[in-house]
Coordinates of all heavy atoms in Angstrom, one line a residue:
Chain B
L108 N 195.5 202.8 21.3 CA 197.0 202.9 21.6 C 197.2 202.3 23.0 O 198.2 201.6 23.2 CB 197.4 204.4 21.5 CG 198.9 204.6 21.3 CD1 199.3 204.1 19.9 CD2 199.1 206.2 21.3
L129 N 203.4 193.2 16.7 CA 202.3 194.1 16.8 C 201.4 193.9 15.6 O 201.7 194.3 14.5 CB 202.8 195.5 16.8 CG 203.1 196.2 18.1 CD1 204.0 195.3 19.0 CD2 203.8 197.5 17.9
I131 N 199.1 195.2 13.6 CA 198.4 196.5 13.3 C 197.8 196.4 11.9 O 197.6 197.4 11.2 CB 199.4 197.7 13.3 CG1 200.6 197.4 12.5 CG2 199.8 198.0 14.8 CD1 201.5 198.6 12.3
S132 N 197.4 195.2 11.6 CA 197.0 195.0 10.2 C 195.9 194.0 10.0 O 195.6 193.5 8.9 CB 198.2 194.5 9.4 OG 198.8 193.4 10.1
G140 N 193.6 197.0 14.8 CA 194.8 197.8 14.5 C 194.9 198.3 13.1 O 195.8 199.1 12.8
I141 N 194.0 197.9 12.2 CA 194.2 198.4 10.8 C 194.2 199.9 10.7 O 194.8 200.4 9.8 CB 193.1 197.7 9.9 CG1 193.4 197.8 8.5 CG2 191.7 198.2 10.2 CD1 194.2 196.7 7.9
T142 N 193.5 200.5 11.6 CA 193.5 202.0 11.6 C 194.9 202.5 11.8 O 195.3 203.5 11.3 CB 192.5 202.6 12.6 OG1 192.6 201.8 13.8 CG2 191.1 202.6 12.1
F143 N 195.7 201.8 12.6 CA 197.1 202.1 12.8 C 197.9 201.7 11.6 O 198.7 202.4 11.0 CB 197.7 201.5 14.0 CG 197.0 201.9 15.3 CD1 196.2 201.1 16.0 CD2 197.3 203.2 15.8 CE1 195.6 201.5 17.2 CE2 196.7 203.6 17.0 CZ 195.8 202.8 17.7
G144 N 197.5 200.5 11.1 CA 198.3 199.9 10.1 C 198.2 200.5 8.7 O 199.1 200.4 7.9
C145 N 197.1 201.3 8.5 CA 196.9 201.9 7.2 C 197.2 203.4 7.2 O 197.0 204.1 6.2 CB 195.5 201.7 6.7 SG 195.2 200.0 6.1
S146 N 197.8 203.9 8.3 CA 198.2 205.3 8.3 C 199.6 205.3 8.8 O 200.0 204.7 9.8 CB 197.2 206.1 9.2 OG 197.9 206.6 10.3
L147 N 200.4 206.2 8.1 CA 201.8 206.2 8.5 C 202.0 206.8 9.9 O 202.8 206.3 10.7 CB 202.6 207.1 7.5 CG 202.8 206.4 6.1 CD1 203.4 207.3 5.1 CD2 203.8 205.2 6.3
P148 N 201.3 207.9 10.2 CA 201.5 208.4 11.6 C 201.0 207.4 12.6 O 201.6 207.3 13.7 CB 200.6 209.7 11.6 CG 200.3 210.0 10.2 CD 200.5 208.8 9.4
G149 N 199.9 206.7 12.3 CA 199.3 205.7 13.2 C 200.4 204.7 13.5 O 200.6 204.2 14.6
T150 N 201.0 204.2 12.5 CA 202.0 203.2 12.6 C 203.2 203.7 13.5 O 203.6 203.0 14.4 CB 202.6 202.7 11.2 OG1 201.5 202.2 10.5 CG2 203.7 201.7 11.3
H151 N 203.6 204.9 13.2 CA 204.7 205.4 14.0 C 204.3 205.5 15.4 O 205.1 205.2 16.3 CB 205.1 206.8 13.4 CG 206.4 207.3 13.9 ND1 206.5 207.9 15.2 CD2 207.6 207.3 13.4 CE1 207.8 208.2 15.4 NE2 208.5 207.9 14.3
Q152 N 203.1 206.0 15.6 CA 202.6 206.2 17.0 C 202.6 205.0 17.8 O 203.1 204.9 18.9 CB 201.2 206.8 16.8 CG 200.8 207.8 17.9 CD 199.4 208.2 17.6 OE1 198.7 207.7 16.7 NE2 198.9 209.1 18.5
V153 N 202.0 203.9 17.3 CA 201.8 202.7 18.0 C 203.1 202.0 18.3 O 203.4 201.5 19.4 CB 200.7 201.8 17.4 CG1 201.2 201.2 16.1 CG2 200.4 200.6 18.3
V154 N 204.0 202.1 17.3 CA 205.3 201.4 17.5 C 206.1 202.2 18.5 O 206.7 201.5 19.4 CB 206.1 201.3 16.2 CG1 207.5 200.8 16.4 CG2 205.3 200.5 15.2
S155 N 206.1 203.5 18.5 CA 207.0 204.2 19.5 C 206.4 204.1 20.9 O 207.1 204.0 21.9 CB 207.2 205.7 19.1 OG 206.3 206.2 18.2
A156 N 205.1 204.1 21.0 CA 204.4 203.9 22.3 C 204.8 202.6 22.9 O 205.2 202.5 24.1 CB 202.9 204.0 22.2
P167 N 206.4 195.2 14.4 CA 205.1 195.5 13.8 C 204.9 194.6 12.6 O 205.8 194.3 11.8 CB 205.2 196.9 13.5 CG 206.6 197.3 13.6 CD 207.4 196.3 14.4
K168 N 203.7 194.2 12.5 CA 203.3 193.3 11.3 C 202.5 194.2 10.4 O 201.4 194.7 10.7 CB 202.5 192.1 11.8 CG 202.1 191.2 10.7 CD 201.7 189.8 11.3 CE 201.2 188.9 10.2 NZ 200.7 187.6 10.8
L169 N 203.0 194.3 9.2 CA 202.4 195.3 8.2 C 201.3 194.7 7.4 O 201.4 193.5 7.0 CB 203.5 195.8 7.3 CG 204.8 196.4 8.0 CD1 205.8 196.9 7.0 CD2 204.4 197.5 9.0
T170 N 200.4 195.5 7.1 CA 199.3 195.1 6.2 C 199.8 195.3 4.7 O 200.4 196.3 4.4 CB 198.0 195.9 6.4 OG1 197.1 195.5 5.4 CG2 198.2 197.4 6.4
P171 N 199.3 194.4 3.8 CA 199.7 194.6 2.4 C 198.6 195.5 1.7 O 198.8 195.9 0.5 CB 199.6 193.2 1.8 CG 198.6 192.5 2.7 CD 198.7 193.1 4.0
N172 N 197.6 195.9 2.4 CA 196.5 196.7 1.8 C 196.8 198.2 1.7 O 195.9 199.0 2.1 CB 195.2 196.4 2.6 CG 194.8 194.9 2.6 OD1 194.5 194.4 1.5 ND2 194.7 194.3 3.7
V173 N 198.0 198.5 1.3 CA 198.4 199.9 1.2 C 199.1 200.1 -0.1 O 199.6 199.2 -0.7 CB 199.3 200.3 2.4 CG1 198.6 200.2 3.7 CG2 200.6 199.4 2.4
T174 N 199.2 201.4 -0.5 CA 199.8 201.7 -1.8 C 201.3 201.5 -1.7 O 201.9 201.0 -2.7 CB 199.6 203.2 -2.1 OG1 198.2 203.4 -1.9 CG2 200.0 203.5 -3.5
D175 N 201.9 201.8 -0.6 CA 203.4 201.8 -0.5 C 203.9 201.2 0.8 O 204.1 201.9 1.8 CB 203.9 203.2 -0.7 CG 205.4 203.3 -0.6 OD1 206.1 202.3 -0.7 OD2 206.0 204.4 -0.5
V176 N 204.0 199.9 0.8 CA 204.3 199.2 2.1 C 205.6 199.6 2.6 O 205.8 199.6 3.8 CB 204.1 197.7 1.9 CG1 205.2 197.1 1.0 CG2 204.0 196.9 3.2
A177 N 206.6 199.9 1.7 CA 207.9 200.3 2.2 C 207.9 201.5 3.1 O 208.7 201.6 4.0 CB 208.8 200.5 1.0
A178 N 207.0 202.4 2.8 CA 206.9 203.6 3.6 C 206.5 203.2 5.0 O 206.9 203.9 6.0 CB 205.8 204.6 3.0
F179 N 205.6 202.2 5.2 CA 205.2 201.8 6.5 C 206.4 201.1 7.2 O 206.5 201.2 8.4 CB 204.0 200.9 6.4 CG 202.8 201.6 6.0 CD1 202.5 202.0 4.7 CD2 201.9 202.0 7.0 CE1 201.4 202.7 4.4 CE2 200.7 202.7 6.8 CZ 200.5 203.1 5.4
A180 N 207.2 200.4 6.5 CA 208.4 199.8 7.1 C 209.3 200.8 7.6 O 209.9 200.7 8.7 CB 209.1 198.9 6.0
R181 N 209.4 201.9 6.8 CA 210.3 203.0 7.2 C 209.7 203.7 8.5 O 210.5 204.0 9.4 CB 210.5 204.0 6.1 CG 211.7 203.8 5.2 CD 212.0 204.9 4.3 NE 210.8 205.3 3.5 CZ 210.5 204.8 2.2 NH1 211.4 204.0 1.7 NH2 209.4 205.2 1.6
A182 N 208.4 203.9 8.5 CA 207.8 204.5 9.7 C 208.1 203.7 10.9 O 208.3 204.2 12.0 CB 206.3 204.7 9.4
A183 N 207.9 202.4 10.7 CA 208.2 201.4 11.8 C 209.6 201.5 12.3 O 209.9 201.5 13.5 CB 207.8 200.0 11.4
E184 N 210.5 201.6 11.3 CA 211.9 201.6 11.7 C 212.2 202.9 12.4 O 212.9 202.9 13.5 CB 212.8 201.6 10.4 CG 214.3 201.6 10.6 CD 215.1 201.5 9.3 OE1 214.7 202.2 8.3 OE2 216.0 200.7 9.3
D185 N 211.7 204.0 11.9 CA 211.9 205.3 12.6 C 211.4 205.3 14.0 O 212.0 206.0 14.9 CB 211.2 206.4 11.8 CG 211.8 206.7 10.5 OD1 213.0 206.3 10.2 OD2 211.2 207.4 9.7
A186 N 210.3 204.6 14.2 CA 209.7 204.6 15.5 C 210.4 203.6 16.5 O 210.0 203.5 17.6 CB 208.2 204.2 15.4
G187 N 211.4 202.9 16.0 CA 212.2 202.1 16.9 C 211.9 200.6 16.8 O 212.3 199.8 17.7
A188 N 211.3 200.2 15.8 CA 211.0 198.7 15.6 C 212.3 198.0 15.5 O 213.3 198.5 14.9 CB 210.1 198.5 14.5
V191 N 210.4 194.2 11.0 CA 209.0 194.3 10.6 C 208.7 192.9 10.1 O 209.5 192.2 9.5 CB 208.8 195.3 9.5 CG1 208.8 196.7 10.1 CG2 209.7 195.2 8.3
E233 N 210.6 195.1 -1.7 CA 210.6 196.6 -1.5 C 211.0 197.0 -0.1 O 211.7 198.0 0.0 CB 209.1 197.0 -1.8 CG 208.8 197.0 -3.3 CD 207.3 197.4 -3.5 OE1 206.6 197.6 -2.5 OE2 206.9 197.6 -4.7
C234 N 210.5 196.3 0.9 CA 210.8 196.7 2.3 C 212.3 196.5 2.5 O 212.9 197.4 3.2 CB 210.0 195.9 3.3 SG 208.3 196.4 3.3
A237 N 214.2 199.4 1.6 CA 213.8 200.6 2.2 C 214.3 200.7 3.6 O 214.5 201.9 4.1 CB 212.3 200.8 2.2
V238 N 214.5 199.6 4.3 CA 214.9 199.7 5.7 C 216.2 198.9 6.0 O 216.5 198.0 5.3 CB 213.8 199.2 6.7 CG1 212.6 200.2 6.6 CG2 213.4 197.8 6.4
Chain C
T174 N 195.7 201.9 -1.3 CA 195.0 201.6 0.0 C 193.5 201.6 -0.1 O 192.8 200.8 0.5 CB 195.5 202.7 1.0 OG1 196.9 202.8 1.0 CG2 195.1 202.3 2.4

Side-chain angles (χ1 to χ4, degrees):
Chain B
L108 204 62
L129 270 50
I131 52 168
S132 52
I141 194 91
T142 37
F143 298 107
C145 283
S146 116
L147 287 171
T150 298
H151 192 282
Q152 214 181 1
V153 65
V154 175
S155 20
K168 181 162 173 184
L169 307 181
T170 174
N172 298 298
V173 294
T174 311
D175 181 10
V176 70
F179 287 81
R181 271 192 303 267
E184 181 177 46
D185 290 346
V191 288
E233 285 176 354
C234 287
V238 296
Chain C
T174 311

